[in-house]
Amino acid sequence: MTHSTIDQRAAEPRIVELRIGAPAHGGHCVARHEGRVVFVRHALPGELVRARLTESAEEARFWRADTVEVLEASEHRVPHFWAAADALAAAAAGRAPVGGAEFGHAELGHQRELKGRIFREQLVRLGRTDPDGAGFAGVEVPAGERADGLGWRTRAAFSVDEAGRLAMNAFRSNELVPVREMPLAVDAVNALRLWELPLRGLARVEVAVPSDGGAPLVLFVEHDGGAPGLADRAAKRLAEGVSAAAITQKGGSASDGRGTLRRLRGRTWLGERAAGHSYRVTGEGFWQIHRLAADTLAAAVLQDLDPRPGQRLADLYAGAGLFTAPLAEAVGAAGLVLSIEGAPGTSRDARRNLHGVPQAQVVQGRVEKTLARALQERAEAGGDGKLDGVVLDPPRTGAGKMAVRQIAQAGPARISYVSCDPASFARDLADFAREGYRLEKVRVLDLYPHTHHMETVGLLVRA
Ligand SMILES: C[S@@+](CC[C@H](N)C(=O)[O-])C[C@H]1O[C@@H](n2cnc3c(N)ncnc32)[C@H](O)[C@@H]1O
């Protein structure tokens, strides 16, 4: 019996005809084939499609499929804006579409409607919470967004194929698809024309551009033990003013403190501005991806937490200190913002960004391991170890029970929860409910147009 769920019979793909049902979390729609659930990509609710089974092990509870032909199209279907990500064009050419624009075949308004349905379903099913009771008013478009939903990514990561071409991965696959544009990225990324650089022998290329349009930083990721000088050669071909660095990955990324970042030209960091503050973000260090996200989220968090002078707050999963800086300003010298970030490189950025702000206490470590201890230390130093408010912005996996319990034990009156995943947000909501918190208000922002992702900002208060 095979334990692989990937359908290896590529020479003889199994095509099935499916009537498409509801949208599901993760960028799929649900269909049924001979009683079994099939998660179908690149289809829309109501459509009749022919789909290639991409995972179809007999023993699997559900299968996966990708649309290759639309027999009855939804009224919301539109031509895909990006050939490399267009599933139908890819199927016709006998290749897979690149991931990262999996909703590009739907009108933008319909994409947001689907995200709203998915969000509501996750909250009710996993969070036992009615989002409408918390004022959920549908997925919002951030102020300043382009009407076509393109040109928003300030960060992009590419692979390099064996022929040295800039490429991206197909969904859940090692298959590399060469690309010569990235329509979701800001113009400054496409203006680099990375696909024209000599990349053969490099592992990946990552690019970041400051949200306000400053000079880009290109990271050339070298294979461990790869030929020397490849990154230097590619960097020389970049336009003047573009910074470049090389990373040799030894099982991790530079911001994890396990890789090495080598300056090739210009700076190894980006200067970002948001919420009236300046930030330095090194190499691979975390910064919000959508050009409008940092300002939009900081404003939402400040509105929900409503910080006052002298208050004690915590910014958890703090990154380079995006929320810590404005919160520290609001609580003033008599207050406290405990800023906890796990990645050593990103935490070093936070330390630099908050240098000279004594009320911001930067702690590097995992929230679930450090929060209770940091508060205990404050209690031993004469405080009560309590917090007035908390903002948490965990990675896709969410905060988890241990972190939720420690946050609740600190007794904050207000918790602002920023989330990029409705499922983990919903699960954490259920844990917060067990600790006596309820969702008072929730907003969902479309900070990832043309993908299935969404950003949530929830305000929790004591029940
Ligand atoms: C979604 S980002 C948010 C960063 C920041 N709030 C911002 O908006 O720029 C999540 C951050 O959490 C960090 N992280 C992931 N797991 C963590 C953990 N268990 N404890 C602390 N930080 C963690 C990541 O390194 C990343 O910087």
Side-chain angles (χ1 to χ4, degrees):
M1 187 174 83
T2 174
H3 290 279
S4 164
T5 55
I6 307 286
D7 197 325
Q8 300 293 351
R9 290 158 292 184
E12 227 185 286
R14 286 176 67 192
I15 305 283
V16 290
E17 195 171 295
L18 299 168
R19 176 63 72 184
I20 305 300
H25 178 45
H28 326 269
C29 287
V30 182
R32 285 190 176 269
H33 179 68
E34 294 169 357
R36 191 188 315 248
V37 168
V38 187
F39 289 109
V40 190
R41 289 182 84 73
H42 304 114
L44 290 174
E47 290 188 329
L48 182 68
V49 305
R50 294 179 73 237
R52 179 173 62 93
L53 291 174
T54 51
E55 295 183 24
S56 59
E58 269 317 312
E59 69 276 17
R61 264 192 317 123
F62 57 81
W63 287 353
R64 293 179 189 277
D66 202 351
T67 306
V68 296
E69 190 185 347
V70 180
L71 303 174
E72 288 175 25
S74 159
E75 58 181 327
H76 303 294
R77 181 171 279 274
V78 293
H80 205 294
F81 59 87
W82 185 15
D86 180 350
L88 303 182
R95 57 162 181 82
V98 299
E102 62 280 358
F103 274 12
H105 57 287
E107 286 164 351
L108 261 179
H110 192 59
Q111 292 179 25
R112 292 172 181 138
E113 216 176 290
L114 296 180
K115 291 183 194 191
R117 281 172 68 180
I118 293 164
F119 177 74
R120 183 173 278 115
E121 189 260 343
Q122 296 290 302
L123 247 65
V124 170
R125 192 164 60 81
L126 300 175
R128 310 230 172 283
T129 303
D130 169 18
D132 299 325
F136 173 56
V139 174
E140 296 173 39
V141 184
E145 178 63 298
R146 271 171 54 164
D148 59 7
L150 302 179
W152 52 268
R153 284 192 82 107
T154 60
R155 267 81 185 146
F158 303 92
S159 295
V160 177
D161 73 5
E162 288 204 339
R165 292 173 301 184
L166 193 76
M168 290 179 68
N169 279 82
F171 177 69
R172 287 170 74 93
S173 157
N174 292 329
E175 187 178 339
L176 292 179
V177 182
V179 291
R180 292 183 67 82
E181 59 169 341
M182 209 309 170
L184 295 182
V186 294
D187 290 346
V189 169
N190 285 301
L192 291 167
R193 304 183 73 79
L194 295 173
W195 51 89
E196 289 178 357
L197 300 182
L199 301 174
R200 192 190 288 264
L202 291 168
R204 293 202 321 274
V205 183
E206 295 176 11
V207 54
V209 180
S211 310
D212 65 1
L217 168 62
V218 180
L219 299 182
F220 295 104
V221 184
E222 299 167 324
H223 290 290
D224 194 10
L230 297 178
D232 307 65
R233 192 165 63 115
K236 283 202 182 95
R237 295 273 298 272
L238 289 168
E240 221 174 292
V242 177
S243 294
I247 297 178
T248 306
Q249 286 207 317
K250 295 191 169 70
S253 66
S255 55
D256 286 343
R258 286 177 282 159
T260 48
L261 191 67
R262 185 163 54 86
R263 191 182 80 86
L264 299 173
R265 51 188 276 183
R267 297 162 164 178
T268 54
W269 52 275
L270 284 188
E272 294 280 1
R273 253 200 95 67
H277 292 263
S278 297
Y279 303 81
R280 164 190 172 127
V281 184
T282 308
E284 286 188 310
F286 182 88
W287 190 255
Q288 296 289 342
I289 296 173
H290 193 296
R291 65 190 170 83
L292 301 167
D295 268 326
T296 306
L297 295 174
V301 167
L302 284 172
Q303 190 186 42
D304 282 354
L305 279 189
D306 190 20
R308 303 291 164 89
Q311 280 190 329
R312 301 150 305 171
L313 309 176
D315 178 5
L316 307 178
Y317 314 89
L322 169 62
F323 305 138
T324 308
L327 290 174
E329 185 182 8
V331 299
L336 162 78
V337 184
L338 180 62
S339 181
I340 303 183
E341 162 60 34
T346 305
S347 183
R348 270 196 297 279
D349 282 341
R351 207 170 283 282
R352 283 197 195 94
N353 292 333
L354 298 158
H355 181 72
V357 186
Q359 66 270 35
Q361 186 191 337
V362 177
V363 176
Q364 188 266 312
R366 297 181 72 77
V367 168
E368 59 278 22
K369 295 215 169 124
T370 49
L371 176 59
R373 203 174 56 216
L375 292 173
Q376 175 71 27
E377 280 168 12
R378 291 196 66 80
E380 284 163 9
D384 62 2
K386 295 289 179 195
L387 293 168
D388 299 302
V390 168
V391 54
L392 73 154
D393 183 7
R396 202 151 283 163
T397 44
K401 281 190 173 41
M402 272 172 71
V404 166
R405 186 161 310 136
Q406 290 179 41
I407 293 168
Q409 277 167 0
R414 301 169 88 81
I415 299 172
S416 172
Y417 189 150
V418 181
S419 162
C420 59
D421 185 275
S424 60
F425 176 70
R427 278 193 295 270
D428 285 342
L429 273 192
D431 286 335
F432 271 117
R434 279 187 275 278
E435 300 288 344
Y437 286 87
R438 68 175 169 77
L439 188 66
E440 163 91 355
K441 178 181 155 197
V442 71
R443 293 173 64 194
V444 179
L445 293 149
D446 193 13
L447 288 173
Y448 309 92
H450 300 295
T451 81
H452 71 276
H453 298 289
M454 59 190 99
E455 193 81 8
T456 302
V457 187
L459 170 65
L460 285 82
V461 296
R462 270 197 290 261

